[in-house]
Amino acid sequence: MNTNRFETFFDAILAIIITVLVLKLTQPASPTFGAFLALNARFITYAICFLVIFIIWYDNHNLFQVVEEIDNRVLFIYALQIFAISILPYFATWVALNLNSVAAQTMFGVLFIAIDILYIISIYAVYRANPYSCGLCQANFRSVYKYIPIAIMLLGFIITYTVYTPGIYISVLLSVICWLIFSRLRRPDNGSTDRFEAFIDAIIAIIITIIVLEIPMVANGSWDAFLDIKLEFIVYAVSFIVCFNFWNYNNNLFSIVNKVNHKVIWSIGVALFFLSLIPYLTTFVAENSNSFVPCFLYGLNFIVVAALSIITANALKNSDKANIALQLALADNKPFMTTIVLVVIGMIIGYFIYPLAIVIACLVSIITLWAISYYGNRY
């Protein structure tokens, strides 16, 4: 059977899972760096899960560029894999809250081993469904390297049950690093952008939807009660514009992009990770608008996404050097540098005078970027 509908279904599920992970993050006890850093285990776990899911999508994206058809056996195995991935946020939260719990560590490790084993089985099932595919043979998806993460996780089980309880957690982290390295070993460069664009669109759409879920309900039916939460709406509006700006930039950019490579995909993937934190940071700012730390973290996240956009632009130029329109559109990074400078200025004002100046600076920087793009006819 044809793979197009399955790819769309698979991508949609991963996009939902990868974005709802942020809902499992709890707000700091107070708007301070200390309280924020006290949640380090939860953020590390969140990053691990995000990275794992993105690696799974990336490998699947690469695999299905050379797959011609699939059968019911492949669908069944992928259904099991999707189930395992879908419960990842639950067990990730459990282990993040109970790092010294053997039960939580065990279930976390078992789940990751199951995901890895199901991935390996799915590869063999795909090969069996496409016995004469030259692309599969050349791609070398059945490399022996894929067994190394399982060995590392099994070692983590031994450590957890004998010496150090968080051994499984650490072994999972090391295994994910191995997955990242080995996923790059089997990359077909210069692939089509259609599936990647759809995946980006799905993630951003869900992020925007999640942001509005964080707005508290009005206490009663009066105007005064509604005006009491006006700040939440203002911060939500800014966050919406930030997300939409990222989508709009990529939409305009990919309209002239002919092909992408692994560097482009991973730079945008990292940007999506930081973008996925916007719902969390929006709530953090809205609940502590007079504190510098939440606003600073919001602005810092904005700067990181802008910097990653510059990295993406450079990667795109290198991946498609023959594309004259693309080279001209990305010839100058000054607009993004301008946005970064404006937010840094906002941070200075926020530290000394008014914390929300940082959020305002993010909005002003986007308006400035739009103005430069419009009057400079960049796209």
Side-chain angles (χ1 to χ4, degrees):
M1 66 184 71
N2 188 273
T3 66
N4 292 337
R5 185 171 181 181
F6 169 72
E7 291 177 58
T8 302
F9 180 68
F10 185 77
D11 290 358
I13 292 177
L14 292 191
I16 293 171
I17 297 172
I18 208 171
T19 44
V20 299
L21 284 169
V22 74
L23 297 176
K24 295 294 184 179
L25 292 176
T26 56
Q27 292 292 324
S30 61
T32 62
F33 282 116
F36 183 79
L37 294 175
L39 301 174
N40 58 352
R42 301 183 193 184
F43 281 101
I44 293 173
T45 306
Y46 173 72
I48 291 173
C49 294
F50 189 100
L51 184 58
V52 166
I53 296 172
F54 193 82
I55 289 173
I56 291 171
W57 177 87
Y58 176 72
D59 282 345
N60 183 269
H61 167 71
N62 289 346
L63 176 64
F64 276 79
Q65 287 189 60
V66 291
V67 169
E68 298 174 0
E69 60 181 30
I70 56 175
D71 55 20
N72 288 328
R73 183 185 293 105
V74 174
L75 289 178
F76 177 74
I77 295 170
Y78 267 100
L80 293 176
Q81 187 182 45
I82 290 171
F83 170 76
I85 297 170
S86 69
I87 59 176
L88 184 58
Y90 179 87
F91 287 105
T93 303
W94 189 25
V95 77
L97 295 174
N98 303 276
L99 280 178
N100 292 314
S101 166
V102 174
Q105 290 282 336
T106 300
M107 289 304 301
F108 190 61
V110 167
L111 184 60
F112 268 88
I113 290 177
I115 291 172
D116 202 359
I117 291 175
L118 287 168
Y119 171 73
I120 294 172
I121 295 174
S122 69
I123 294 296
Y124 284 99
V126 167
Y127 269 86
R128 187 170 179 175
N130 298 265
Y132 306 110
S133 173
C134 296
L136 277 174
C137 296
Q138 295 173 358
N140 191 28
F141 284 94
R142 293 188 293 188
S143 170
V144 294
Y145 291 119
K146 63 180 175 293
Y147 296 105
I148 295 178
I150 296 178
I152 293 175
M153 283 186 278
L154 291 176
L155 179 61
F157 273 83
I158 296 174
I159 295 173
T160 292
Y161 278 88
T162 57
V163 182
Y164 184 59
T165 304
I168 295 175
Y169 185 84
I170 296 173
S171 70
V172 167
L173 177 59
L174 295 175
S175 298
V176 171
I177 295 174
C178 289
W179 285 351
L180 177 60
I181 295 172
F182 301 145
S183 68
R184 293 186 62 185
L185 293 178
R186 47 181 181 268
R187 61 181 186 270
D189 282 348
N190 301 326
S192 171
T193 67
D194 293 342
R195 185 177 177 184
F196 186 44
E197 290 179 64
F199 191 58
I200 294 172
D201 293 351
I203 290 177
I204 295 177
I206 298 169
I207 290 172
I208 290 175
T209 306
I210 290 175
I211 295 173
V212 74
L213 295 177
E214 299 296 317
I215 300 177
M217 182 52 62
V218 181
N220 54 57
S222 67
W223 283 109
D224 290 337
F226 176 74
L227 292 175
D228 285 340
I229 61 169
K230 60 182 181 298
L231 184 60
E232 282 81 350
F233 275 95
I234 294 173
V235 178
Y236 164 72
V238 174
S239 296
F240 175 88
I241 293 172
V242 170
C243 293
F244 182 81
N245 178 70
F246 184 86
W247 176 86
N248 184 56
Y249 171 74
N250 281 277
N251 176 56
N252 291 333
L253 192 58
F254 276 85
S255 65
I256 55 175
V257 169
N258 297 323
K259 54 189 178 181
V260 296
N261 60 16
H262 67 285
K263 292 181 180 179
V264 175
I265 291 176
W266 277 105
S267 61
I268 294 179
V270 176
L272 288 172
F273 167 75
F274 286 98
L275 205 69
S276 71
L277 292 171
I278 286 183
Y280 178 86
L281 294 173
T282 299
T283 302
F284 195 23
V285 170
E287 293 179 352
N288 305 277
S289 58
N290 293 320
S291 300
F292 171 73
V293 172
C295 296
F296 171 79
L297 293 174
Y298 189 96
L300 181 62
N301 189 73
F302 184 93
I303 289 175
V304 171
V305 173
L308 286 166
S309 296
I310 296 175
I311 295 173
T312 300
N314 293 330
L316 276 169
K317 287 191 291 185
N318 292 328
S319 70
D320 198 1
K321 294 182 179 180
N323 190 333
I324 298 176
L326 180 65
Q327 298 298 325
L328 291 174
L330 300 177
D332 187 8
N333 288 325
K334 289 181 181 178
F336 282 110
M337 295 303 298
T338 302
T339 62
I340 293 174
V341 171
L342 287 173
V343 176
V344 170
I345 293 173
M347 287 179 172
I348 297 172
I349 297 174
Y351 182 78
F352 289 103
I353 303 174
Y354 184 53
L356 272 178
I358 301 173
V359 178
I360 296 172
C362 293
L363 177 60
V364 171
S365 66
I366 291 176
I367 295 173
T368 303
L369 182 63
W370 286 351
I372 294 174
S373 300
Y374 178 78
Y375 289 107
N377 194 25
R378 290 180 54 81
Y379 304 117

